[in-house]
Amino acid sequence: MERKVKLEIKGSVAKIVLNDAENYNPLNQEMAKELLVVLDQLRNNEDVRCLTITGSGKAFSAGGDIKTFKESIEEGKPGEVMDNLLKNLYKIALILRQYPKPVIGVVNGWAVGAGMNLALSCDLVIASNKAKFRQSFSKLALIPGFAGTILLSRQLTWQQATEMAFFGETYTAEDMVKLGLVNEVVDSERLAERANEMASKLASGPTLTYARTKKLFFDALSEPLVDHLENERQMQIKSAETQDFKIGVFAINDKKEPEFIGK
């Protein structure tokens, strides 16, 4: 049986592909388990310095698996099935925000429900001009899952977040750029090329610094200002002791491009 998650590594960039195009790459139990394995595998691979996540076929991900939901209702255990599914999905949501390497969501088509929030959990998001986004949870009488209530409420105004969550309407990639949820829109024919350009640029950068920046961003969501400023100060001291800091300083002094090593 073909794997639901494909992994391609070229140089220092890993490309993760959700690989169930026939079903629009649903985030079911099988997909979630395989994605967790791949993320864990890449975490300690020092040769990989940046990740991209994309979908196969016409969708990035259709989100929840309606077939599974229907079966769970017919079997009289929808809560139990949902609980088992969410354990892995919420692990993924947390892992991506705390991942020690840059992660780019490359949205090639439909990103619906949890599929949309998988993309928004990445550090950067680029989308095809054919991509469509939808918080479809309300259509199923569900709340915005896969960290949706955090992602929307902290990145949008209250009114924008409630409109998106309550109505479950479709947003274009251009709409998402205007809302600040997508970084860039490119022609579908250039999406893979542009994703590789962006990933390669990040992979050649000071990746240890990126990891530390992500940690501070994440911690800032819950830390008091006084504590966070001290943590930021201490992290900057540690950053000044890295090899990359030395490389950067001497490169600028010599008017050259730095060649960072992530250490």
Side-chain angles (χ1 to χ4, degrees):
M1 182 180 294
E2 193 171 18
R3 300 190 69 83
K4 299 298 183 183
V5 176
K6 289 173 58 179
L7 174 61
E8 304 169 13
I9 299 177
K10 291 184 179 180
S12 54
V13 175
K15 179 181 179 181
I16 298 172
V17 182
L18 307 181
N19 188 42
D20 189 4
E22 182 179 351
N23 296 303
Y24 301 102
N25 308 314
L27 292 174
N28 52 27
Q29 192 70 271
E30 188 176 2
M31 181 80 77
K33 286 180 178 178
E34 290 191 23
L35 185 52
L36 279 172
V37 169
V38 169
L39 289 171
D40 186 60
Q41 173 186 340
L42 294 173
R43 176 185 292 273
N44 297 316
N45 186 334
E46 293 186 359
D47 294 329
V48 172
R49 292 161 58 85
C50 184
L51 281 61
T52 66
I53 301 177
T54 193
S56 57
K58 297 180 179 180
F60 176 77
S61 172
D65 190 340
I66 298 299
K67 293 178 183 178
T68 299
F69 294 160
K70 182 174 180 291
E71 289 173 1
S72 72
I73 293 170
E74 292 171 344
E75 294 170 3
K77 49 182 181 181
E80 179 183 340
V81 171
M82 184 68 77
D83 182 28
N84 290 332
L85 171 63
L86 295 185
K87 286 175 182 175
N88 284 328
L89 289 184
Y90 276 70
K91 285 180 185 177
I92 294 168
L94 185 59
I95 285 171
L96 289 175
R97 277 296 153 107
Q98 296 180 313
Y99 210 67
K101 303 175 184 186
V103 183
I104 305 173
V106 184
V107 183
N108 54 300
W110 281 96
V112 180
M116 174 175 167
N117 293 337
L118 170 61
L120 297 185
S121 294
C122 297
D123 302 314
L124 297 164
V125 182
I126 62 173
S128 158
N129 59 334
K130 296 180 180 179
K132 305 289 184 183
F133 298 80
R134 183 190 297 155
Q135 287 287 320
S136 58
F137 297 96
S138 64
K139 306 292 186 182
L140 301 174
L142 293 173
I143 54 93
F146 200 103
T149 56
I150 294 176
L151 294 167
L152 299 185
S153 66
R154 287 182 171 160
Q155 294 178 240
L156 300 174
T157 67
W158 180 278
Q159 287 73 23
Q160 289 170 330
T162 52
E163 179 181 9
M164 185 175 284
F166 291 176
F167 292 111
E169 300 292 347
T170 299
Y171 290 73
T172 66
E174 288 79 9
D175 293 333
M176 295 289 281
V177 168
K178 292 175 183 176
L179 289 169
L181 298 177
V182 166
N183 297 91
E184 186 177 334
V185 180
V186 298
D187 289 339
S188 57
E189 295 78 10
R190 283 203 67 242
L191 183 63
E193 177 187 353
R194 178 60 185 136
N196 188 61
E197 290 173 356
M198 186 180 290
S200 296
K201 184 175 183 178
L202 288 170
S204 65
T207 49
L208 178 58
T209 295
Y210 299 155
R212 288 174 169 175
T213 300
K214 285 179 64 171
K215 183 181 187 311
L216 287 168
F217 282 168
F218 184 85
D219 292 346
L221 297 174
S222 58
E223 281 184 336
L225 178 61
V226 172
D227 294 342
H228 186 75
L229 289 178
E230 178 58 21
N231 288 337
E232 183 182 282
R233 190 179 76 86
Q234 292 297 332
M235 192 70 82
Q236 194 72 305
I237 294 169
K238 290 181 180 178
S239 297
E241 295 173 343
T242 64
Q243 294 180 53
D244 276 347
F245 177 67
K246 184 186 297 184
I247 291 169
V249 169
F250 279 86
I252 291 176
N253 184 71
D254 297 337
K255 296 181 172 57
K256 297 179 179 179
E257 284 295 318
E259 296 182 4
F260 294 114
I261 60 175
K263 297 180 180 179

